[in-house]
Amino acid sequence: MLGVDFYRLFHTPVFYIFIAIAAFIPALVVMGGTGGENSLFTNAWNIVAANKPLYIVSDIGEYANMNMVYIFGGIMVSIFIGHDYRSGYVKQLFTTHAKKQDYMISKSLTGAFSMVCMCVTYLIGGMISGLASGLSFEVNAGSLICAILGKMIMSLGWASLYTFLNVIFRRLFGISIALSFFLGTGILIIGAAAVVGNSPALNIFLYGSSVYACLSANFVSVIICLVCSLVWAAIYNVLGSVILYKRDVY
């Protein structure tokens, strides 16, 4: 099943379109965040990650980094799974393959791979945009690597969440897209942070760990991202499998 999904992914134009969009986003971010005394960016790596964990976004520039990939990754997963149901692929699949958890795992891994690819092109686009804008590239190399790894690792948790949502709203494509955008922006955790403050306790959530992968990250940060991503991936895959077993999959 995983082989089939990757084959379909590599032959889906939307996959390459979103990879290209991810590469182009940094240019838009830089264009909107540089210039004048109130410039949002002086360092190119802030296009990739914030300087420190920011659970409460006080300025849009603080959020305008690689985390945006999760939003587009969610839309990508919605389109991919939506096509499964529209094309009749799911009906054919579950007629011959009874393990619903395999479907969840395969889609989660495929979605995670898509987001990692978007992270790579976003990183390349960010570097090119930073060079073109004359921004500083001064950074702690170890922290930068940890931040990038952390954000890529979080792709598995996010992909599992989006797969779970699309299993629930498989017949309501518009709702799945809207939820992908809503949850990808981290509005719920930002709201919680407004109450409890910039607390590391929020790292147990996907968005919390995603912003924890910042330019002050270290090896412990990567471990936290890994644990959080794996735990939520397991939870969403189990819940999604239960739903597929108990409800009409067509």
Side-chain angles (χ1 to χ4, degrees):
M1 191 183 298
L2 191 60
V4 171
D5 277 341
F6 271 105
Y7 177 85
R8 292 177 61 238
L9 180 69
F10 292 135
H11 289 78
T12 301
V14 173
F15 172 61
Y16 300 100
I17 291 173
F18 274 89
I19 285 180
I21 290 174
F24 187 66
I25 290 173
L28 296 178
V29 170
V30 171
M31 288 172 58
T34 57
E37 297 181 355
N38 297 322
S39 176
L40 294 176
F41 301 109
T42 56
N43 191 298
W45 299 119
N46 286 140
I47 305 169
V48 176
N51 289 321
K52 60 182 181 180
L54 294 168
Y55 309 100
I56 300 177
V57 179
S58 59
D59 193 302
I60 189 61
E62 297 173 346
Y63 181 79
N65 55 50
M66 193 180 282
N67 283 6
M68 291 187 290
V69 165
Y70 303 134
I71 299 174
F72 292 97
I75 297 173
M76 171 73 199
V77 172
S78 296
I79 293 173
F80 199 59
I81 295 179
H83 182 265
D84 282 356
Y85 283 90
R86 291 194 303 272
S87 66
Y89 170 73
V90 168
K91 183 175 182 179
Q92 179 184 10
L93 177 68
F94 289 144
T95 300
T96 58
H97 194 96
K99 293 184 178 179
K100 308 299 190 299
Q101 64 267 29
D102 287 357
Y103 180 83
M104 290 292 303
I105 293 172
S106 183
K107 286 295 181 290
S108 295
L109 291 176
T110 307
F113 174 81
S114 300
M115 289 188 209
V116 169
C117 289
M118 292 181 205
C119 286
V120 172
T121 57
Y122 182 98
L123 178 62
I124 295 172
M127 293 172 64
I128 294 174
S129 299
L131 284 170
S133 302
L135 298 177
S136 169
F137 279 83
E138 183 178 352
V139 73
N140 181 304
S143 294
L144 174 64
I145 292 173
C146 287
I148 294 171
L149 285 177
K151 290 185 182 299
M152 289 183 174
I153 288 170
M154 292 305 302
S155 295
L156 178 60
W158 282 104
S160 300
L161 166 62
Y162 294 134
T163 300
F164 170 67
L165 290 175
N166 280 275
V167 164
I168 296 176
F169 299 104
R170 53 190 175 275
R171 294 191 181 121
L172 300 169
F173 182 69
I175 292 180
S176 64
I177 290 288
L179 281 175
S180 295
F181 182 84
F182 179 77
L183 295 175
T185 59
I187 292 176
L188 295 178
I189 301 304
I190 293 173
V195 177
V196 302
N198 278 329
S199 172
L202 295 171
N203 292 338
I204 65 173
F205 301 104
L206 290 175
Y207 182 78
S209 289
S210 297
V211 299
Y212 193 58
C214 59
L215 296 183
S216 59
N218 51 37
F219 183 70
V220 174
S221 308
V222 177
I223 296 300
I224 290 175
C225 289
L226 178 61
V227 172
C228 179
S229 190
L230 289 175
V231 169
W232 283 107
I235 291 173
Y236 288 129
N237 275 277
V238 169
L239 292 176
S241 299
V242 170
I243 291 173
L244 285 175
Y245 273 112
K246 291 185 176 297
R247 294 179 59 182
D248 178 15
V249 298
Y250 310 136

